[in-house]
Amino acid sequence: MEANKNWYNLETPEVLASLNSKPDGLSQEEAQRRLTQCGPNELTGRERISPWAIFFEQFKNFLIIILLVAVALSAIMGEVADAIVIFAIVLFAAGLGFVQEYRAERAMEALKRMAAPTASVLRDGKEVEIPARELVPGDILLLRTGDKIPADARLIEAVNLKADEASLTGESVPVEKTANVLDGEVSVGERKNMVFAGTAAVYGRGTAVVTATGMATEFGKIATMLQEVEKEQTPLQINLDQLGKWIAIGALALCFILAGIGVLRGHEILEMLIWGVSLAVAAVPEALPAVVTISLALGVQRMVRRHALIRKLPAVETLGCTTFICSDKTGTLTQDQMTVRRIYADGKLIDVAGVGYEPKGEFHFSGKALNPEEDSALQRLLQIGSLCNDTSLASVNGIWGIKGDPTEGALVVTAAKASLWQEKLQSQFPRIHEIPFSSETKRMTTVHQTPQGKIVYSKGAPEIILSSCSHIYQNRQEAKLTDDDKNKILSISHEMAGDALRVLGVAYRRLPDTENVPETIEQDMVFVGLAGMIDPPREEIKQAVRLCNQAGIKSVMITGDHKLTAVAIAKELGILKEGMALSGAEIDSLSNEEFEALVEKIEVYARVSPVHKLRVVEALAQKGHVVAMTGDGVNDAPALKKADIGVAMGITGTDVTKEAADMVLTDDNFASIVAAVEEGRGIFNNIKKYLVYLLSCNLGEILLMATAILFGPLLGLPAGVIPLIAIQILYVNLATDGLPAIALSVDQPDPDIMRHKPRPRRQTIFLAPVLRYLTWAGVWTALVALAVFLWAWNSGKDHLEAQSMCFVTLILVQFFNAFNCRSLEHSLFKIGPFANRWLLLAIGWECIMLSLVVYLPILQGPFNTYPLTLADWLIAILSASTIFIVAEVYKLINSWLRPKGVVAASTG
């Protein structure tokens, strides 16, 4: 079979000849032979990764490896409790990663579920229904209203056939189909003589010859792209991997060097080995996977309350550094509900308020409210639009919706806004005859019985309706239609079309009260007016786009709809300002280099295919951008999977899109993305707060012990005297790296977080301001704890008392440091020292535990503590609180160093 042939360019006999088929179908024997040759009509996936392989893949993370080594060393040294806690953290982090990746493998199953289960075909000249998987190229497919199309096929007959291709192309309106040949290269959305697997016939009937099945269909190409797209690591994952390696190498080397020096200074080898392992475990942020996971998980809960459901946790952080949001138009930026915006009747341009299918909205002329009951031309136009119509309006549980064609639905809704309810009209003026809409005639005509006799109503393309009219309804009477009238009407029609409105003309004709309806009913009609409609943008999107601009994020529209419509909607939303608008054909004419040079300037893409969407995402990624892609149709799935953050629509989105996405919007509202970006930035900030807090504390601990080991004799410390023993180091690590760190991970974001530019894609957490704070806070922590230890030793206290004071002071200075780390930019007094109640509770609890370790006799022995006096506590508290001064000085200097008027991108 010639799978790559442009079937839409061939006449029907050529198509049948190329496929070795005929109008009455294949024989059963030939179909079976082709099924063996081509394989079943179903989507095939690449070999699935086993759940065990996914689980063990989680243990390749460098930080996880460090923690596993720490578990082994702790167990060998007898620190069983510490080993159990660290191992539990490892299992928790690995289990969460497993769940995320396992769910991500399900996109192909969702795609398969969209396939049609059965198909009606001609075999041996007879109509038979077969399982859709048994379709083969060359089969003659019979299509009727409501059928799910099971394969790609070239139409050989189309009778008023319309197909809903929104899931494949993004086209918001059902596509009129034809069997006529098309000229030249045509995009998928323009192939009107083709039908495609995964779409549906919503009107009329047709006959088609199957041209592609399984993975050779347009759906199959999407499936192939889903399999080929690989996910890259998020910036946070890269940062944490680097961090783990740095800390591991540095901490292990330094700690064992210090342990060796301790042995040379007279300490026992076993004592120093345990001490070295304890210091190494304290230096390695074993709580990091847990804190990051908890931060992301709690952030996910907050996002759900703001209508954003996160499917893959790293996406939360990635949102914070998004620079481009590429959004589908239909249903995402717009209502996905056709709405009449403007009416032309009796020489007046009338604006119609309201959006969607809810029958609420006023009529306005020249800025003033217009009562439709007092305007006979408007009344007549609305009546015609509602009666010459096969679509109905209904309310289910208070939610208005239509059954049928969206364009016709818009007319029914508009009539209802004027209290012209379709059911009542149909009972008053029953339909007795009709001429259905066809792509050839571009109009629909119905005949109704009225008390005054028969009347013909017609609607369709303005130029077609106008050409059949000899009179015009104006000033409450029928007048002769002049050339000037026609020119004015066509001018108004073109003006409406220029505003991206889909325009219909309506007309009527009274018939003689005879028994038969004449064949010439669509002649000598009376023109009434025009109705212009559009799928309107969501009102809240305008504010969301403004917030994106303020946050340094560029919004881009990517749609399968017409360029004119896309440009009009983009301008109304504020997306298209000074940038460019390109069609899919224009993209195809550009080389990769030419496209990459323009991609940052393009704000609207129209008439695009899945390949184009993927190319846009890849080009932006090549330019170093972090790309979010929103969408709801199957056509969006490959680009969603390739994007750094894929955002699917929860209400209108297909299962395929949701499975491929990182995040699902439960209200289908683009504005929810902005809320998610704010949460993502806040979560990254909180993880950074935790890291700054943790590493400044750990640096303080290492500097304290290193100074005592290296310079003990210069400080007057005899051999064997050190500030802390191994169990005390582990307890400090447990007390400060646990609850206080988790409390920082749920802190409120800085008030100006959405006025910051996005972080660069590969930017590390450890920028100059962060490193300065780490250094100052770590050095000050070590100096304070060492100063208290030396004061206690030199004031006559024994080793046990001095160690106890150093132990308590070190913990307290780290508690005070936790408050400072709530913001690295703003003063503690500006953000409120007591605003984080979880931090207050965490430190309160740890203070109670510290008191028990100091005063409870059963714990004093193991932890080598001594009951401190009130004076000892005062000295420890006052000494520890001096870190406030260091932090405030740091923030002040940092504000001086930052150029005025520049908003930092590093705070994310």
Side-chain angles (χ1 to χ4, degrees):
M1 300 301 118
E2 298 177 80
N4 295 321
K5 189 181 281 287
N6 287 343
W7 303 106
Y8 51 85
N9 291 146
L10 303 180
E11 297 285 355
T12 299
E14 292 180 88
V15 175
L16 292 172
S18 297
L19 291 165
N20 295 319
S21 185
K22 49 189 178 180
D24 59 355
L26 302 173
S27 67
Q28 191 62 41
E29 293 76 17
E30 175 62 17
Q32 189 60 47
R33 187 189 69 78
R34 295 190 185 192
L35 184 62
T36 305
Q37 177 186 343
C38 302
N41 175 38
E42 59 187 12
L43 303 180
T44 58
R46 61 185 174 187
E47 187 177 345
R48 289 183 60 86
I49 305 172
S50 74
W52 284 111
I54 295 174
F55 180 71
F56 286 118
E57 185 72 21
Q58 310 307 312
F59 292 90
K60 292 183 179 180
N61 179 281
F62 199 78
L63 193 58
I64 296 291
I65 295 171
I66 296 170
L67 297 182
L68 289 174
V69 172
V71 168
L73 290 175
S74 298
I76 292 169
M77 294 299 128
E79 303 297 334
V80 178
D82 205 68
I84 292 172
V85 170
I86 298 172
F87 189 62
I89 290 170
V90 169
L91 287 179
F92 181 65
L96 198 72
F98 165 77
V99 170
Q100 295 165 31
E101 290 195 24
Y102 185 73
R103 290 179 65 189
E105 290 292 314
R106 292 167 50 193
M108 184 57 62
E109 280 68 17
L111 202 58
K112 288 180 180 178
R113 286 196 295 272
M114 294 193 72
T118 61
S120 294
V121 298
L122 290 177
R123 292 272 175 93
D124 295 315
K126 297 178 181 178
E127 180 179 347
V128 294
E129 189 170 284
I130 63 172
R133 69 185 305 276
E134 294 180 9
L135 272 177
V136 295
D139 260 326
I140 301 300
L141 195 60
L142 303 178
L143 301 172
R144 299 178 180 90
T145 300
D147 284 354
K148 212 170 203 177
I149 296 168
D152 288 3
R154 166 68 159 86
L155 286 164
I156 55 179
E157 181 189 24
V159 181
N160 303 326
L161 183 64
K162 293 184 184 180
D164 180 359
E165 297 180 350
S167 64
L168 182 66
T169 66
E171 175 64 68
S172 55
V173 177
V175 179
E176 298 169 15
K177 293 296 181 178
T178 177
N180 297 335
V181 69
L182 302 177
D183 296 325
E185 189 76 22
V186 179
S187 67
V188 173
E190 299 285 356
R191 295 174 191 173
K192 296 190 176 183
N193 59 7
M194 300 285 295
V195 289
F196 303 100
T199 63
V202 295
Y203 194 85
R205 60 183 176 83
T207 306
V209 56
V210 174
T211 56
T213 60
M215 297 300 283
T217 63
E218 293 298 324
F219 250 64
K221 293 172 186 175
I222 292 174
T224 301
M225 285 190 280
L226 278 173
Q227 293 173 16
E228 291 173 350
V229 170
E230 298 294 335
K231 273 284 186 183
E232 297 180 1
Q233 281 190 310
T234 71
L236 180 61
Q237 289 172 323
I238 294 169
N239 278 332
L240 294 186
D241 282 348
Q242 293 173 343
L243 177 66
K245 293 172 185 176
W246 294 340
I247 292 176
I249 295 169
L252 291 174
L254 181 60
C255 293
F256 284 104
I257 289 172
L258 293 177
I261 293 173
V263 171
L264 295 177
R265 289 199 58 221
H267 292 276
E268 294 289 332
I269 294 177
L270 183 59
E271 176 195 359
M272 282 293 98
L273 188 58
I274 294 174
W275 180 88
V277 169
S278 301
L279 192 57
V281 170
V284 172
E286 66 271 10
L288 181 58
V291 168
V292 170
T293 298
I294 290 169
S295 297
L296 295 174
L298 292 176
V300 165
Q301 292 180 12
R302 291 196 299 272
M303 285 186 176
V304 168
R305 291 195 290 270
R306 302 181 76 173
H307 308 293
L309 176 65
I310 299 297
R311 294 189 62 255
K312 301 165 189 175
L313 285 183
V316 179
E317 176 269 335
T318 311
L319 270 170
C321 51
T322 298
T323 56
F324 267 77
I325 298 177
C326 300
S327 174
D328 190 40
K329 177 184 72 68
T330 305
T332 308
L333 296 170
T334 64
Q335 301 276 348
D336 197 17
Q337 297 180 346
M338 292 295 285
T339 304
V340 172
R341 276 267 185 94
R342 205 175 302 161
I343 289 172
Y344 176 72
D346 197 7
K348 297 191 292 286
L349 270 175
I350 301 167
D351 294 315
V352 186
V355 294
Y357 296 139
E358 187 175 8
K360 288 184 180 179
E362 294 182 335
F363 297 81
H364 293 87
F365 171 60
S366 297
K368 296 179 180 179
L370 175 69
N371 185 350
E373 294 180 5
E374 298 174 358
D375 192 308
S376 62
L378 175 60
Q379 192 90 350
R380 189 159 298 195
L381 182 147
L382 296 176
Q383 183 171 308
I384 295 171
S386 187
L387 285 171
C388 184
N389 202 308
D390 288 330
T391 296
S392 59
L393 173 69
S395 174
V396 179
N397 298 323
I399 300 174
W400 290 91
I402 63 163
K403 185 175 182 181
D405 183 80
T407 301
E408 290 195 324
L411 295 172
V412 177
V413 172
T414 308
K417 289 177 181 179
S419 298
L420 294 171
W421 297 95
Q422 189 184 52
E423 287 185 11
K424 187 177 179 180
L425 291 173
Q426 288 172 339
S427 65
Q428 290 177 334
F429 312 111
R431 186 186 300 184
I432 59 174
H433 184 72
E434 68 180 283
I435 302 175
F437 175 89
S438 72
S439 56
E440 286 78 19
T441 63
K442 295 185 178 179
R443 70 189 300 167
M444 174 183 179
T445 301
T446 56
V447 182
H448 300 264
Q449 185 68 54
T450 75
Q452 292 77 33
K454 297 184 179 69
I455 190 166
V456 180
Y457 290 150
S458 190
K459 74 175 191 302
E463 63 277 10
I464 299 295
I465 295 295
L466 203 55
S467 66
S468 66
C469 293
S470 59
H471 291 75
I472 183 171
Y473 186 82
Q474 58 187 15
N475 299 322
R476 295 180 177 269
Q477 60 186 0
E478 298 174 6
K480 190 73 175 176
L481 183 67
T482 66
D483 289 339
D484 287 344
D485 291 330
K486 288 184 178 181
N487 292 334
K488 184 177 180 181
I489 292 166
L490 289 174
S491 175
I492 295 291
S493 175
H494 292 151
E495 184 182 316
M496 285 186 176
D499 290 335
L501 297 178
R502 179 170 184 166
V503 187
L504 292 179
V506 298
Y508 73 94
R509 175 188 174 186
R510 298 191 184 278
L511 294 177
D513 197 12
T514 57
E515 204 170 296
N516 299 321
V517 176
E519 294 182 3
T520 59
I521 59 172
E522 291 181 334
Q523 296 177 14
D524 200 26
M525 302 195 79
V526 180
F527 185 82
V528 178
L530 304 169
M533 61 197 72
I534 196 171
D535 180 10
R538 297 172 180 263
E539 283 301 315
E540 64 273 18
I541 303 301
K542 297 177 185 177
Q543 176 63 15
V545 170
R546 282 195 292 269
L547 286 174
C548 283
N549 292 337
Q550 177 182 295
I553 301 167
K554 188 164 186 177
S555 304
V556 173
M557 179 190 289
I558 305 185
T559 177
D561 222 334
H562 291 281
K563 187 174 180 180
L564 192 65
T565 304
V567 166
I569 295 289
K571 285 182 177 178
E572 185 171 344
L573 291 174
I575 290 175
L576 182 60
K577 298 181 289 293
E578 299 175 355
M580 303 169 61
L582 288 188
S583 67
E586 289 169 327
I587 295 173
D588 287 334
S589 68
L590 298 173
S591 67
N592 287 338
E593 293 75 17
E594 290 171 330
F595 184 54
E596 284 180 22
L598 292 174
V599 72
E600 292 174 304
K601 301 174 185 176
I602 303 169
E603 295 171 340
V604 174
Y605 297 89
R607 304 307 281 174
V608 294
S609 68
V611 176
H612 294 132
K613 294 189 176 189
L614 201 55
R615 190 176 173 191
V616 170
V617 173
E618 289 172 343
L620 287 170
Q622 282 292 322
K623 301 289 282 187
H625 290 286
V626 176
V627 184
M629 169 72 187
T630 74
D632 54 3
V634 174
N635 58 315
D636 297 322
L640 260 62
K641 191 172 181 183
K642 177 64 179 177
D644 299 277
I645 170 77
V647 185
M649 301 298 109
I651 299 172
T652 59
T654 61
D655 287 344
V656 184
T657 314
K658 293 174 189 175
E659 291 294 338
D662 302 283
M663 181 174 83
V664 178
L665 300 183
T666 58
D667 62 350
D668 283 15
N669 196 330
F670 179 90
S672 298
I673 300 173
V674 181
V677 168
E678 182 178 356
E679 289 290 348
R681 290 184 174 193
I683 289 166
F684 184 83
N685 250 13
N686 287 345
I687 292 171
K688 186 176 71 175
K689 292 174 189 178
Y690 161 76
L691 282 173
V692 171
Y693 167 67
L694 170 82
L695 296 178
S696 61
C697 291
N698 288 1
L699 178 61
E701 294 166 25
I702 291 175
L703 290 177
L704 169 66
M705 302 309 296
T707 303
I709 291 290
L710 294 173
F711 306 108
L714 296 177
L715 298 172
L717 297 176
V721 175
I722 54 176
L724 299 174
I725 62 171
I727 190 68
Q728 289 174 330
I729 294 172
L730 290 171
Y731 184 85
V732 170
N733 186 48
L734 179 66
T736 58
D737 291 4
L739 294 179
I742 292 173
L744 281 176
S745 72
V746 296
D747 199 18
Q748 292 296 314
D750 286 350
D752 59 351
I753 197 165
M754 287 301 285
R755 290 196 292 272
H756 292 207
K757 294 180 181 179
R759 299 184 314 276
R761 185 185 184 91
R762 302 298 179 188
Q763 179 176 287
T764 177
I765 291 174
F766 302 104
L767 299 178
V770 174
L771 293 176
R772 282 196 296 268
Y773 184 87
L774 282 177
T775 304
W776 288 19
V779 169
W780 194 258
T781 297
L783 289 175
V784 168
L786 185 60
V788 170
F789 178 73
L790 292 174
W791 172 84
W793 178 261
N794 292 323
S795 62
K797 296 181 183 293
D798 61 22
H799 191 190
L800 179 63
E801 292 178 70
Q803 276 187 335
S804 296
M805 285 200 69
C806 181
F807 173 64
V808 169
T809 302
L810 182 60
I811 291 176
L812 291 178
V813 76
Q814 294 185 5
F815 287 166
F816 283 119
N817 190 30
F819 287 101
N820 292 329
C821 289
R822 289 191 52 233
S823 176
L824 299 188
E825 287 189 19
H826 302 295
S827 167
L828 180 64
F829 302 103
K830 180 178 179 180
I831 63 172
F834 307 114
N836 187 337
R837 63 189 181 96
W838 296 111
L839 183 59
L840 295 173
L841 290 171
I843 290 178
W845 171 257
E846 292 297 348
C847 285
I848 292 171
M849 298 302 296
L850 178 60
S851 299
L852 293 177
V853 169
V854 171
Y855 290 110
L856 208 61
I858 195 172
L859 297 177
Q860 287 175 344
F863 286 98
N864 206 43
T865 56
Y866 178 86
L868 302 183
T869 65
L870 181 58
D872 293 335
W873 276 105
L874 286 174
I875 291 170
I877 292 171
L878 289 173
S879 300
S881 66
T882 57
I883 199 165
F884 278 136
I885 301 171
V886 174
E888 291 300 317
V889 168
Y890 155 79
K891 292 172 186 178
L892 185 61
I893 293 175
N894 195 39
S895 67
W896 290 341
L897 293 175
R898 188 185 310 129
K900 299 300 179 185
V902 175
V903 182
S906 61
T907 58

